[in-house]
Amino acid sequence: MLYAGWFTLLPLTLVVGTPLPRKLHVHDRRDSVPQGFTLLATPSPDTVLNLRIALVQSNPAGLIDQLYAVSTPSNASYGQFLSKQDAAAFAAPSPDSLSAVTSWLQSNGITPTPMTPAGDWLAFQVPVNKANAMLDAEFSFFTHMSSGHQSLRTLSYSIPTEMQGIIDFIFPTTSFTKSSASRRPAKSKHGAPPGSGSTNQSCATTITPSCLQSLYGIPTTPATQSSNQLLVTGYDDQFANQNDLQTFLQATRPDLSRSTQFQLQTLDGGQNLQVAADAGDEANLDIQYTTGLATGVPITFLSVGEDNSDDLSGFLDTINFLLAEDSPPQTMTTSYGFDESDLPFKLANNLCNAYAQLGARGVSIMFASGDGGVSGSQAANCTTFIPTFPATCPFITAVGSTTGISPETAASFSAGGFSNYFAQPSFQASAVSPYLSFLGQTNKGLFNTSGRGYPDVSTQGVNFSIELDGETVGVDGTSCSSPTFASVVALLNDRRVAQGGKPLGFLNPWLYGSAASALSDVTQGSNPGCGTQGFPATTNWDAVTGLGTPNFPALLKAAGVS
C-alpha cells in the first residue's frame, strides 16, 4: 500500500516543484565494510527505508544533574522524581531546530512522526532513490555473515550544512549491529529441584528460589503495595509459559497461591504463545525467578516482537515506549545486550541518556552484564577487552554473576571491565580507583582505565533450576542474576512505599554510597577471555562482581526502612 501511495504522488511532486538543492556536509562515514559483514546487492530504487532522526537535545547535562540530585541520599532533592513532562523537557530539541528539520523533510515530500514525549526522535519512510539523493548516500544490502541477517545500510551520508548542530544522527544509515541482542543462558537437564527450605548442600549444585532467599535473606512475606511494579523485558520471540510457571512454583514455592500469574504487555508485534514447545528458556527463567523471589509484587512481561525498524532488536522502541508511559514500572530487568562497539557512540549515548530520563522519573533499571568475561560476545580473536552495552551505561545497574555458596566466587563468564564510550562517573570513583591501583600492570593496554567500571553488583548465576516445556533444566548466565537482583530491589521498594516513602529509583549513587556496606564482598575468581585471565575479584569493588551480592536485611536498613 505504501509503495502505491508514493508512486501516485511522486509525479505530482515533480510537477509542483523540485526541492531546491542544498549544500551538503558529510555527517558520518565508514572507511570500509565492518568486520563480519559483506556487501550483497544494490536495492531496487523503490525499496522503502525506515529511517529515524535523532535531534540534538537541549540540555542533556541538566538531565544528568537532576538524575543525580534525585538519586543521591545526601541531596536535598533525593526522591523528588521528575514528571514525564519535566524529564522530557531536558531532551527536547529547541522549537527552531524541530521546525528546521521538519521543513527540510517536508520540502522532500516527507512528513515525519515524533517518537518520544520530548520530540527528539522523528521517524519517516522514504524510497531508497530519494534517500540517496537527500543524503548523498549509497544504500545497499549487506549481510551479517554468521547469522545471514540482511540490512540496508550506507557507508556514508551527508546532511544539509544548516542542519549541523541540529541533527545528532540519522539511524540506522551507517550502523551495523548484529541481528540479535540475546545473551542466551546455557542450559542442561537435571532432576527435580529441591523444595523450599534453608540453604543446604544441594544449593552448591542447583539454585532455586529458596536457595537465594536463604543466601541473601530475601523474605517470603508477600509484598503489599499494588502500585509497585516489576517489568521483565523479552526479545527474540522468547515466550514465558504460564503452565511452566505453575509447575515451577508448585515445586519451589508451594506456599504461593496457584493463581499466581504475570501480566502481559506487547510491543512491535510481540506475543506470548502458550504452546509448550514455544516456551523460551530466557523468558521462563526471568519470569519464574522474579515471580518466585519478588513475592506478591505485580510482574509484567513485555514481549517485544520483530516488527520494528530500530535495528536494535527493539531496544530503542522499548525505551521510547516506557518514556511515553504516564506511570512506568518502578523496577525493570533485561537479560540482553550488545558488545559496546557494535553500536556507534552517538546511538549508545542517546540510549544511555534515555535510561537517565527513566531513572530521573524513579525507575530502577537492571541489565545483565553479559556472559563473555572480558571478551564480550565471546569473540575468539579479541586483542583488547570488549565491554558490553547497556551494562557500560552509567545510568543503569549492571549485574554480574557468582557461583558457589561457601564462599561465593566470581563466575568465569561474568562480563565486566571498563567502558570505551563512557567516562568513570563520580559516584564510583572512590571504589574503582583502589582497584586500578591493585591491578598495577595487569592487563595494561587492554582496557580503558578512565572508563565507567562495571558490573555494579552481582548474584548467583550458575545452574538455576527452571521449568521448560514440562522438563526441569538448569541454566547459567548473568541472565539469571539480573532478575534476581531486580527482585530484591522490587521488594525493597515495596517496603519503602508501605512506610510512605518513595521507590529507590536510579540505584548507583546509593549502592556506591550508604548501601555499599550492605553488600557481601566476593573476593575470589576471575573472568578470563582474549587469551588472558581477565580481571580478578578482590576485596571491595572489582570488575567481575562489582560491589558484591545482596544482603536483604542490611539493604533494607540502608534504604531507611525500619
Side-chain angles (χ1 to χ4, degrees), residues 219-225 253 255-256 294-297 491 494-495:
T220 59
T221 308
T224 60
Q225 304 302 302
R253 288 298 309 272
D255 55 312
L256 294 183
T295 308
V297 173
L491 290 172
D494 173 78
R495 274 51 172 181

Side-chain angles (χ1 to χ4, degrees), residues 56-236:
V56 172
Q57 298 176 346
S58 58
N59 190 10
L63 171 65
I64 305 311
D65 288 343
Q66 284 296 305
L67 172 69
Y68 285 151
V70 301
S71 307
T72 303
S74 59
N75 193 291
S77 297
Y78 181 60
Q80 298 177 27
F81 301 123
L82 304 186
S83 66
K84 178 171 77 171
Q85 292 75 19
D86 288 343
F90 287 100
S94 71
D96 288 345
S97 295
L98 184 58
S99 176
V101 173
T102 302
S103 295
W104 169 55
L105 292 173
Q106 289 177 341
S107 74
N108 286 279
I110 297 169
T111 300
T113 302
M115 298 188 64
T116 62
D120 56 323
W121 277 97
L122 301 176
F124 62 97
Q125 292 182 314
V126 61
V128 162
N129 59 345
K130 181 177 283 191
N132 285 339
M134 286 175 57
L135 304 175
D136 191 23
E138 189 176 347
F139 281 94
S140 303
F141 281 112
F142 295 84
T143 301
H144 182 237
M145 290 183 289
S146 65
S147 67
H149 177 71
Q150 295 180 12
S151 52
L152 260 176
R153 297 294 181 268
T154 179
L155 297 183
S156 171
Y157 74 94
S158 301
I159 61 174
T161 302
E162 64 268 27
M163 295 298 159
Q164 294 182 72
I166 294 176
I167 291 177
D168 193 10
F169 58 95
I170 302 178
F171 179 76
T173 58
T174 58
S175 173
F176 289 75
T177 54
K178 295 183 176 66
S179 61
S180 173
S182 177
R183 299 282 187 259
R184 298 286 293 279
K187 69 178 186 230
S188 60
K189 292 184 179 181
H190 57 60
S196 59
S198 61
T199 306
N200 53 47
Q201 193 57 41
S202 67
C203 295
T205 56
T206 303
I207 294 295
T208 62
S210 62
C211 291
L212 297 169
Q213 288 162 345
S214 181
L215 280 169
Y216 302 141
I218 301 171
T220 59
T221 308
T224 60
Q225 304 302 302
S226 60
S227 64
N228 176 51
Q229 307 276 324
L230 196 167
L231 180 73
V232 174
T233 59
Y235 302 89
D236 282 357

Side-chain angles (χ1 to χ4, degrees), residues 349-372:
N349 189 57
N350 185 284
L351 271 172
C352 192
N353 285 343
Y355 297 134
Q357 261 194 81
L358 206 57
R361 292 173 59 186
V363 180
S364 302
I365 305 173
M366 264 65 64
F367 276 92
S369 70
D371 297 345

Side-chain angles (χ1 to χ4, degrees), residues 483-500:
T484 297
F485 197 84
S487 297
V488 169
V489 173
L491 290 172
L492 292 172
N493 282 337
D494 173 78
R495 274 51 172 181
R496 281 174 62 89
V497 173
Q499 291 194 357

Side-chain angles (χ1 to χ4, degrees), residues 224-474:
T224 60
Q225 304 302 302
S226 60
S227 64
N228 176 51
Q229 307 276 324
L230 196 167
L231 180 73
V232 174
T233 59
Y235 302 89
D236 282 357
D237 283 335
Q238 282 273 314
F239 306 136
N241 188 276
Q242 294 277 13
N243 287 337
D244 281 345
L245 174 63
Q246 291 306 313
T247 302
F248 175 80
L249 293 178
Q250 288 169 25
T252 64
R253 288 298 309 272
D255 55 312
L256 294 183
S257 167
R258 294 204 172 192
S259 64
T260 301
Q261 292 186 332
F262 57 92
Q263 300 301 309
L264 175 68
Q265 282 184 307
T266 60
L267 178 65
D268 288 343
Q271 51 189 335
N272 195 37
L273 301 179
Q274 292 301 295
V275 178
D278 288 330
D281 48 6
E282 183 62 78
N284 270 14
L285 164 66
D286 291 1
I287 284 295
Q288 287 172 18
Y289 274 82
T290 49
T291 306
L293 288 172
T295 308
V297 173
I299 292 168
T300 298
F301 179 61
L302 175 61
S303 178
V304 183
E306 297 182 354
D307 184 17
N308 66 74
S309 57
D310 72 0
D311 196 51
L312 292 172
S313 296
F315 268 47
L316 185 57
D317 286 352
T318 298
I319 187 61
N320 288 340
F321 170 79
L322 292 171
L323 288 174
E325 288 199 319
D326 292 327
S327 300
Q330 288 70 30
T331 308
M332 65 174 286
T333 175
T334 301
S335 295
Y336 298 76
F338 304 87
D339 290 344
E340 187 182 63
S341 57
D342 282 349
L343 278 67
F345 167 73
K346 285 186 175 182
L347 176 59
N349 189 57
N350 185 284
L351 271 172
C352 192
N353 285 343
Y355 297 134
Q357 261 194 81
L358 206 57
R361 292 173 59 186
V363 180
S364 302
I365 305 173
M366 264 65 64
F367 276 92
S369 70
D371 297 345
V374 295
S375 61
S377 57
Q378 304 179 58
N381 301 311
C382 48
T383 55
T384 58
F385 294 167
I386 302 175
T388 54
F389 180 86
T392 53
C393 171
F395 313 130
I396 63 92
T397 299
V399 188
S401 285
T402 63
T403 185
I405 59 172
S406 297
E408 286 190 86
T409 63
S412 61
F413 56 76
S414 183
F418 299 84
S419 174
N420 290 322
Y421 283 177
F422 303 102
Q424 182 187 106
S426 58
F427 62 73
Q428 69 169 188
S430 61
V432 173
S433 179
Y435 185 69
L436 293 172
S437 297
F438 163 77
L439 287 177
Q441 298 298 304
T442 303
N443 300 324
K444 184 177 180 180
L446 299 179
F447 67 96
N448 176 22
T449 57
S450 61
R452 182 273 209 264
Y454 77 105
D456 300 299
V457 293
S458 54
T459 77
Q460 291 279 317
V462 175
N463 211 15
F464 273 45
S465 179
I466 69 167
E467 198 70 19
L468 181 66
D469 190 11
E471 294 185 297
T472 301
V473 301

